[in-house]
Amino acid sequence: MTSILLTPGPLTTREETRRAMLRDWGSRDGDFIALTAEVRRRLLAVANAADSHVAVPLQGSGTFIVEAAIGTLVGPNDKLLVLVNGAYGERIVKIAQRIGRTVEALTWEEIEPVDPGRVARALDADAAITHVAVIHCETTTGLLNPLADIAAVVAKAGRKLLIDAMSSFGALPLDLSSLPATAVMASSNKCLEGTPGLGFALIEKQALVAAQGNSPSLSFDLVEQWRGFEGNGQWRFTPPVQVLAALGEALRLLEAEGGPAARLARYSENCDILVDGMARLGFPLLLERDLQAPIIATFRHPDRPFAFERFYEALAARGFVIYPGKLSKAESFRIGCIGAVDASDFRRLLAAIQDIMETRSAA
Ligand SMILES: *Cc1c(COP(=O)(O)O)cnc(C)c1O
């Protein structure tokens, strides 16, 4: 039996996507240069950003591109304000501290969305802040932050916005022709349904050019990474060629599915089935329903003896791999709604959970 992954990434991919990796590519060969250009163009198209931004892919996991973007775009004399309501916001604070940037955090409880009014007041009170970083969907809980309102407040105050859209890019609406943002960071292995190993940033061209010389790192310097692509179309350093080929196929499949709106509709149906079914089985949602993005849902433990490890193992034995740990501070666990999975998978999942709870194999 092949298992399905209900994790926020790596996640279940389509066979066509995995099959795109069954080939060797010379990274400096014309075919691969063309593939790189296609992927960069398609990434911009997903966010309607072709006129304003450039796409800069980077080897590594999602955290690598976040670290690269912070180090490249926030200069040594700048100040970063990070809006924190979960582990990924905290991670950006750590990244900025580690590379010696001036950084401050504005924090909320992990079950509360970022409040744009508070952000506006913080920006009013501190003229030294040049950049604001926010997590679009905080994957810690699956909470959706009010991105449009935050972006409006940051733009009105004349500061630059950096968006970690890692777990939302490709599904939740993001239109950079109307939403003011200096940079958006995401990766291959979440809503784009590619395989892991690649991050990318969409960066306003002017801001990127102006960031020349900022990065404290050679390999994470996104200005130099971009100049490589613009120069001869090649990657500076060895790219994960198969991962890029898979991402190219995944982006074609996204378009064939009907783009981000169609993908969001599929994920939303997955999430509705999951949340309603879990509530019936005694697992309440951690967040208020209207704060929950259809990306990954966090459930409280039930009001009865429950051993998560046994629950996890019993589900894995039935072919469903859920997230093995928690990031949230609450007694909870998470199930992803994204990937090449649909309503029928979630109905089967709920039947399996019902069976596990009835046979008390998780007590
Ligand atoms: C997945 C994710 C990341 C990156 O995590 P990696 O494990 O480095 O890929 C960053 N931010 C958010 C919001 C994420 O969901």
Side-chain angles (χ1 to χ4, degrees), residues 61-64 66 88 91 135 137 139 164 166-167 190:
S61 89
T63 305
F64 291 37
V66 174
Y88 290 99
R91 189 176 297 176
I135 315 292
C137 168
T139 324
D164 175 346
M166 204 70 58
S167 64
K190 289 185 175 170

Side-chain angles (χ1 to χ4, degrees), residues 15-52:
E15 190 174 343
E16 298 95 310
T17 300
R18 295 191 302 277
R19 213 183 286 137
M21 300 199 293
L22 293 178
R23 147 169 191 196
D24 296 317
W25 300 77
S27 68
R28 307 201 181 274
D29 179 66
D31 282 359
F32 191 75
I33 289 173
L35 176 65
T36 298
E38 180 195 341
V39 167
R40 291 183 62 222
R41 180 179 55 71
R42 285 184 179 276
L43 290 173
L44 288 171
V46 167
N48 199 13
D51 294 336
S52 47

Side-chain angles (χ1 to χ4, degrees), residues 137-344:
C137 168
E138 221 336 323
T139 324
T140 304
T141 56
L143 184 147
L144 185 62
N145 277 313
L147 187 60
D149 294 343
I150 296 165
V153 155
V154 173
K156 186 155 176 260
R159 320 299 167 88
K160 292 187 161 70
L161 182 64
L162 314 176
I163 304 169
D164 175 346
M166 204 70 58
S167 64
S168 59
F169 190 90
L172 295 179
L174 179 71
D175 183 340
L176 292 179
S177 72
S178 55
L179 185 102
T182 296
V184 172
M185 295 82 81
S187 72
S188 53
N189 62 291
K190 289 185 175 170
C191 299
L192 294 178
E193 299 185 1
T195 56
L198 204 121
F200 56 88
L202 309 184
I203 307 175
E204 251 171 3
K205 193 170 165 182
Q206 288 162 348
L208 186 58
V209 170
Q212 169 97 35
N214 276 350
S215 177
S217 161
L218 178 73
S219 6
F220 280 8
D221 185 337
L222 294 184
V223 178
E224 291 198 355
Q225 183 83 348
W226 172 63
R227 293 208 190 280
F229 295 123
E230 295 294 303
N232 58 9
Q234 299 180 10
W235 295 65
R236 279 187 303 163
F237 310 132
T238 306
V241 290
Q242 282 80 14
V243 174
L244 190 81
L247 180 59
E249 182 62 20
L251 285 163
R252 285 172 220 126
L253 291 169
L254 173 62
E255 183 181 292
E257 184 174 350
R263 187 150 293 182
L264 177 65
R266 176 162 58 85
Y267 291 171
S268 297
E269 187 185 16
N270 292 348
C271 189
D272 287 343
I273 292 171
L274 176 67
V275 169
D276 293 349
M278 290 296 278
R280 273 198 307 277
L281 294 171
F283 296 93
L285 201 57
L286 176 71
L287 299 174
E288 296 292 331
R289 185 69 181 88
D290 62 346
L291 295 175
Q292 176 68 63
I295 302 292
I296 184 167
T298 307
F299 298 101
R300 293 184 188 278
H301 288 191
D303 252 351
R304 50 188 272 197
F306 179 74
F308 177 74
E309 288 72 23
R310 296 186 57 191
F311 178 74
Y312 175 91
E313 291 302 336
L315 268 181
R318 288 165 171 81
F320 300 96
V321 176
I322 66 168
Y323 207 81
K326 72 180 177 87
L327 278 175
S328 155
K329 292 168 190 129
E331 221 32 289
S332 62
F333 62 93
R334 300 183 296 164
I335 299 181
C337 309
I338 63 178
V341 286
D342 62 19
S344 65

